[in-house]
Amino acid sequence: MCSGSDLAKYSEPKTVFAGYHYDLNFLTIHGKSRFPGLFIWLRDGRKAGKQLEWLTGGYVQAGYHEVIYSEATKATTAQKAAA
């Protein structure tokens, strides 16, 4: 989930924390999250930031992603609260 997301306040499935976008940086690196909700779409299997797409003249294309509070996020949040 996005850093600082208040999962107690924003706890409805389909709540969007970060809408469908690409990042404006050389590389986008996502570490492992404790909660599900990050959805990534790659155009051709490679992962790169928008600047790398510009530097390569479009040869390497940026991937898109979004962060949503999903049913899986809800289940994980409940499981961690019960622990």
Side-chain angles (χ1 to χ4, degrees), residues 1-3 5-7 10-21 30 33-41 64-77:
M1 301 307 297
C2 298
S3 297
S5 298
D6 186 346
L7 299 181
Y10 303 104
S11 60
E12 289 298 317
K14 299 186 180 180
T15 297
V16 176
F17 289 102
Y20 187 72
H21 68 284
H30 294 284
S33 175
R34 297 177 302 149
F35 297 91
L38 172 63
F39 299 92
I40 302 171
W41 292 270
Y64 290 94
H65 56 279
E66 66 181 345
V67 181
I68 298 176
Y69 189 98
S70 65
E71 290 292 341
T73 310
K74 184 176 183 176
T76 303
T77 303

Side-chain angles (χ1 to χ4, degrees), residues 28-68:
T28 298
I29 300 171
H30 294 284
K32 184 176 179 179
S33 175
R34 297 177 302 149
F35 297 91
L38 172 63
F39 299 92
I40 302 171
W41 292 270
L42 303 177
R43 296 179 186 185
D44 63 359
R46 292 177 286 180
K47 188 173 185 179
K50 195 64 175 171
Q51 289 177 355
L52 190 57
E53 183 174 325
W54 290 334
L55 288 172
T56 63
Y59 182 75
V60 176
Q61 296 182 334
Y64 290 94
H65 56 279
E66 66 181 345
V67 181
I68 298 176

